[in-house]
């Protein structure tokens, strides 16, 4: 199987280049991450992040034949040759497929992604009905891989101001939590033309999320809450 | 503070230095829980992790965390204590186990208050599911003690703990690799040498206390449930600092890994009503554990599966696995309670678990052994008749051996272990800091040694490759130190592993760049794996009995007369020592060893 992989090693390369690789032995069921690991046995200077191998740690997000995804969940059998592998778009490249995620995490931290409760804590758990808890499904599972945010044109244009789909999904994860008591504060934090309202419902984020989450819906729900809060 | 020049090795390097009150190595559940305790007490704490915190392997934990909340069935911490001791095959220390089980409810409520999105019961309380080895009333009916966030409990916990640390303004060094501890002549640990992966620059972090929370070493074996980063680095660092590893022969094989691949299908699948069948469709666990059946302890179920396959009752074209039946649970339950593993089964096996049974086989899962500590998280080593604390050094989580899991860990007890002893270590560190207000003088010889260790990887030329040796090591461990063991096989295993380890001297990297050089990281990880592999086979070879996960065909019985004791392995001369099991709890009566049936 043939691969074209983005290479950039700032110590020696003036600019990025695409390098061709061939992998002879392809076993059934092999994922792209398995292939990259085999290629690394040929060439240990080829660098990418990865860890769990099962789509839970969020390390190995990359751009695969033009679409963002996790290498460990991408079967080779679905890929057209040569498989073109690039780093996530729109953020600085550190080396090869490794990108600098600081901007992404900055926005994550900026939405204050932690439960805020003002009431005194009970001796036991806060009660939450299964229906209230269900509202968190599709939100809490985010693995912070960055596929969505780096596929979002609004983020490309305003990476310093627009929070991006992943951070906004997390903002909604806390707004949707029946235990959280900072709704007004959270909504105020998202006002203004940039932080959230740069989203133009282009849906790129939804199409690429490897966990099947829907940041666009979350953003719309935040907007609805804002309207409700105004009234 | 930065920019001190030290003359080290061939090329003098500029070694940057930073000072903190407290250093935490590892940002999994254990490290983050400790850091939270420290940060909220206003200690100046640095957390170093080789991956971004939420990528730590705690994120992969599925089934849940044990606490006798009694939300579903009657329960209390004393029953939990009994089950844990029995599960440990009586090798667990009963003081630490009492402490853990007593604190469990409080710590789970605390996690819930911090935001963990636990699944819920109709009355709004935390959902709890039955897990293996749990009973009511000291060995009676099945209990339901495992608090779960669907089958993504570890993810939910790790993200929440990280979020709380953001709130507490903990100082993180993300993607820094810890190489070695710094220790002075008097035995005080003074911090660690770490490497910033992005720039390839070493950094010396000086700290009054250092907590190792680097997780397990599942990468010892080819087929495992662990992430690539689980190379037991902290255990390797401890061994090199002259500290022994305890009970390394006890490695848990989880019964239900995806056959041929290794990824985990949680015990919660059986907790929700799934069960195992062999090629005749027989529910074979009824033969091995008539009472607990599929929810017997993990060592028992793993041996049963291996036996079925060895005796020709395995499924598939080569009879290499058994089947986990889940389809009778129905699509709803699978979606609601086991969504994560349902995805995994669909993605990696192309099977719909609501339609077909799933091929499973035991897979290397959990390191019961580790750095010896007491229940305050202090690292302890034997001296004369007693034990002595290594001043300034702490360990918690899977890399530590406190020992609450003894010879076999119960499912759901590790997520508990990491928060209980992460917090305990945090508290003890706070006390240590109040009695030790100043940094001690740095030991330059120890710093030089650590820097030399790093610079070894600058050697150029042709040589062996890391990938090759790692593959060989993993195969060797699987073959010679697996579920069933014998004298002959283990002796051969020691020889093979040592032979492989010698070849490490011939390894040369092809990549000598600074920026994000993962080849260098993998090489140092492999060094750690080798030290731990030797510790594991040597300890396993010596223990002439079967207990918990350590199953010797040539010594099929547990032998309390000779072997009711912890092993301690030292790197120097590969020496073994032993220390007694603490059979005396803190406040309740002891549970003396008795025959273990499920
Ligand atoms: C698939 C799976 C499912 C599981 N399910 C359950 C369950 O349902 N219930 C349960 O109780 N237990 C479960 N366990 C066990 C449990 O998840 C782990 O034992 C526990 O999470 C370990 O936590 P930890 O904090 O000790 O280590 P980890 O979470 O592994 O974290 C280790 C940390 O150390 C860092 N680190 C390591 N080496 C270095 C170095 N050299 N330099 C810098 N940083 C370093 C890593 O970056 C990481 O941050 C499961 C385990 C697995 C593998
Ligand atoms: S829907 Fe909004 S957040 Fe998602 S990609 Fe489009 S602009 Fe970005
Ligand atoms: S929402 Fe999906 S794509 Fe975006 S960071 Fe989370 S898991 Fe990744
Ligand atoms: S390696 Fe963890 S998500 Fe792919």
């Amino acid at each position: 199987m043939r691969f074209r992989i983005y290479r950039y090693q700032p110590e020696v390369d003036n600019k990025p280049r695409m390098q061709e690789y061939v992998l002879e032995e392809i076993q059934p069921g092999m994922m792209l991450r398995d292939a990259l690991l085999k290629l690394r046995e040929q060439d240990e200077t080829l660098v990418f992040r990865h860890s769990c191998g099962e789509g839970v740690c969020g390390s190995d997000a990359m751009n695969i034949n033009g679409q963002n995804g996790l290498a460990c969940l991408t079967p080779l059998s679905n890929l057209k040759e040569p498989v073109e592998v690039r780093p996530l778009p729109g953020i600085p490249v550190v080396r090869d497929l490794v990108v600098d995620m600081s901007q992404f995490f900055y926005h994550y931290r900026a939405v204050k992604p932690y439960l805020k409760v003002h009431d005194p804590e009970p001796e036991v758990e806060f009660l939450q009905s299964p229906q209230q808890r269900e509202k968190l499904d599709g939100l809490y599972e985010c693995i912070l891989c960055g596929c969505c945010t780096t596929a979002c044109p609004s983020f490309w244009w305003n990476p310093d101001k627009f929070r991006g789909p992943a951070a906004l999904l997390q903002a909604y994860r806390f707004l949707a939590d029946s235990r959280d008591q900072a709704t007004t504060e959270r909504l105020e934090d998202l006002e203004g033309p940039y932080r959230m309202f740069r989203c133009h419902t282009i849906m790129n984020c939804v199409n690429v999320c490897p966990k099947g989450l829907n940041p666009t819906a979350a953003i719309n729900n935040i907007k609805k809450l804002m309207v409700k809060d105004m009234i | 503070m930065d920019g001190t020049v030290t003359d080290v090795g061939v090329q003098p390097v500029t070694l940057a230095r930073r000072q903190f009150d407290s250093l935490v190595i590892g940002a999994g559940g254990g490290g983050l829980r400790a850091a939270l305790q420290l940060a909220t007490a206003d200690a100046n704490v640095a957390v170093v992790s080789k991956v971004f915190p939420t990528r730590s392997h705690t994120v992969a934990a599925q089934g849940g965390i044990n606490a006798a909340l009694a939300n579903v069935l009657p329960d209390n911490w004393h029953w939990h204590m009994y089950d844990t001791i029995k599960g440990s095959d009586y090798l667990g220390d009963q003081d630490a186990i009492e402490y853990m089980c007593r604190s469990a409810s409080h710590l789970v409520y605390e996690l819930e208050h911090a935001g963990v999105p636990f699944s819920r019961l109709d009355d709004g309380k935390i959902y709890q599911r039955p897990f293996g080895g749990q009973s009511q009333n000291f060995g009676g009916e099945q209990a339901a003690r495992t608090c779960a966030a669907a089958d993504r409990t570890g993810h939910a916990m790790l993200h929440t703990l990280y979020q709380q640390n953001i709130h507490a303004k903990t100082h993180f060094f993300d993607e820094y690799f810890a190489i070695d501890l710094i220790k002075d002549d008097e035995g005080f640990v003074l911090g660690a040498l770490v490497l910033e992966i992005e720039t390839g620059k070493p950094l010396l972090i000086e700290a009054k206390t250092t907590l190792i929370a680097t997780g397990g070493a599942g990468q010892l074996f080819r087929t495992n449930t662990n992430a690539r980063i689980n190379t037991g680095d902290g255990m390797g660092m401890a061994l090199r600092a002259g500290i022994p590893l305890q009970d390394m022969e006890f490695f848990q094989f989880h019964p239900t890994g995806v056959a041929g691949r290794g990824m985990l299908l949680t015990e919660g699948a059986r907790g929700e009503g799934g069960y195992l069948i062999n090629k005749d469709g027989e529910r074979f666990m009824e033969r091995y554990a008539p009472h607990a059946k599929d929810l017997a302890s993990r060592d028992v179920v793993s041996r049963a599966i291996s036996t079925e396959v060895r005796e020709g009752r395995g499924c598939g074209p080569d009879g290499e696995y058994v089947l986990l039946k889940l389809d009778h649970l129905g699509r709803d339950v699978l979606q609601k309670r086991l969504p994560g593993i349902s995805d995994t089964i669909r993605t990696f096996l192309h099977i719909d678990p609501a339609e077909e049974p799933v091929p499973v086989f035991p897979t290397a899962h959990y390191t019961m052994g580790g750095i010896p500590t007491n229940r305050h998280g202090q690292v302890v080593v034997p001296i004369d008749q007693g034990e002595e604390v290594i001043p300034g050094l702490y360990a918690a989580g899977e890399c530590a051996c406190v020992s609450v899991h003894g010879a076999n860990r119960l499912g759901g007890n590790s997520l508990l272990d990491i928060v209980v002893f992460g917090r305990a270590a945090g508290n003890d560190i706070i006390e240590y800091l109040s009695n030790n207000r100043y940094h001690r003088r740095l030991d330059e010889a120890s710093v030089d040694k650590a820097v030399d260790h790093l610079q070894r990887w600058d050697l150029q030329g042709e040589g062996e490759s890391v990938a090759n040796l790692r593959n060989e090591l993993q195969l060797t461990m699987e073959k010679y130190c697996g579920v069933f063991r014998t004298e002959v096989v283990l002796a051969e295993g020691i020889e093979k592993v040592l032979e492989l380890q010698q070849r490490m001297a011939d390894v040369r990297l092809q990549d000598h760049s600074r920026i994000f050089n993962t080849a260098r990281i993998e090489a140092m990880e492999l060094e750690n794996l080798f030290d731990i592999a030797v510790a594991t086979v040597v300890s396993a070879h010596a223990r002439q009995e079967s207990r918990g996960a350590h199953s010797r065909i040539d010594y099929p019985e547990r032998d309390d007369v000779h072997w009711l004791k912890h092993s301690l392995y030292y790197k120097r001369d590969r020496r073994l020592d032993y220390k007694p099991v603490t059979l005396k709890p803190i406040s309740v009566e002891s549970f003396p060893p008795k025959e273990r049936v499920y």
Side-chain angles (χ1 to χ4, degrees), chain B residues 278-279 309 312-323 359:
Chain B
N278 62 18
K279 77 167 188 210
V309 165
R313 291 186 295 278
C315 312
D318 304 312
E320 280 179 333
Y321 51 77
V322 298
L323 292 169

Side-chain angles (χ1 to χ4, degrees), chain B residues 156-472:
Chain B
M157 273 176 59
L158 185 69
H159 280 249
T160 301
L161 285 170
Y162 178 58
Q163 292 161 347
Q164 288 298 327
N165 272 285
I166 295 177
H167 188 38
K169 303 207 163 53
T170 303
H171 192 106
F172 282 98
F173 289 90
D174 297 335
E175 300 194 317
Y176 279 68
F177 182 86
I179 299 169
D180 267 319
L181 297 172
I182 306 300
K183 203 174 160 194
D184 69 15
D185 287 343
E186 285 171 65
F188 282 79
V189 171
L190 311 172
L193 180 71
V194 305
L195 181 75
E196 182 179 24
I197 299 175
E198 182 173 332
T199 61
K201 290 195 182 120
L203 169 70
L204 186 66
I205 299 187
E206 278 184 75
K208 297 172 208 165
T209 65
T210 302
L211 169 71
I212 308 179
T214 49
Q219 288 300 329
L220 279 177
F221 299 89
R222 179 181 59 161
T223 311
N224 66 68
T225 63
N226 280 208
R228 277 289 277 233
I229 54 171
N230 289 14
T231 48
D233 300 342
M235 299 181 206
M237 288 164 60
L239 279 177
R240 284 192 296 278
I243 293 153
L245 294 184
Q246 180 175 327
D247 294 339
M248 289 305 288
E249 61 271 43
F250 300 101
F251 202 98
Q252 179 165 77
F253 293 85
H254 194 291
T256 56
V258 171
R261 286 234 169 209
M263 52 281 277
L264 181 74
L265 303 177
T266 175
E267 190 165 296
R270 281 168 287 138
E272 297 290 344
Y275 56 84
L276 297 162
I277 52 177
N278 62 18
K279 77 167 188 210
D280 307 320
E282 183 204 8
R283 195 172 168 182
F284 58 87
M285 278 315 298
E286 291 176 342
R287 258 189 288 123
Y288 296 86
H291 185 65
K293 303 192 182 89
D294 294 85
L295 285 179
S297 240
R298 287 184 179 170
D299 55 332
V300 176
V301 183
S302 284
R303 274 193 295 274
I305 295 175
S306 300
T307 306
E308 288 299 297
V309 165
R310 281 201 324 182
E311 294 180 356
R313 291 186 295 278
C315 312
D318 304 312
E320 280 179 333
Y321 51 77
V322 298
L323 292 169
L324 174 62
K325 207 169 127 42
L326 298 171
D327 51 314
H328 60 287
L329 300 180
R331 224 170 266 286
D332 259 13
V333 171
L334 287 172
Q335 193 40 45
K336 204 152 148 212
R337 300 292 182 213
L338 304 165
I341 64 156
S342 300
D343 273 351
T344 298
I345 293 165
R346 279 189 292 263
T347 309
F348 291 98
L349 289 169
H350 312 292
I351 283 180
D352 179 356
E355 301 277 339
E356 273 178 76
V358 188
V360 294
F361 195 72
T363 169
H365 184 54
Y366 184 86
T367 318
M368 259 87 67
I371 304 164
T373 72
N374 59 23
R375 65 173 193 272
H376 311 290
Q378 297 170 306
V379 174
V380 289
V381 294
I383 96 166
D384 305 328
Q385 290 315 305
E387 281 193 324
E388 123 187 293
V389 168
I390 306 272
L393 187 62
Y394 292 78
E398 193 169 337
C399 67
C401 184
V402 41
S403 145
V404 286
H405 310 304
N408 171 66
R409 173 180 74 100
L410 290 190
N413 264 356
S414 174
L415 288 180
L416 179 61
D417 165 8
I418 64 181
V419 290
V420 168
F421 295 104
R423 183 186 65 150
N427 282 334
D428 204 86
I429 290 170
I430 292 165
E431 203 179 311
Y432 182 95
L433 291 175
S434 69
N435 299 325
N436 295 269
R437 294 184 174 275
Y438 304 102
H439 286 269
R440 295 172 63 86
R441 247 179 74 92
L442 204 61
D443 185 288
E444 297 297 338
S446 173
V447 177
D448 289 351
K449 211 169 128 196
V451 173
D452 283 348
H453 175 193
L454 171 64
Q455 288 188 336
R456 179 263 175 256
W457 293 106
D458 292 340
L459 288 179
Q460 310 237 351
E462 291 295 310
E464 293 251 17
S465 88
V466 167
N468 255 343
L469 271 182
R470 185 181 45 230
N471 291 345
E472 284 194 47

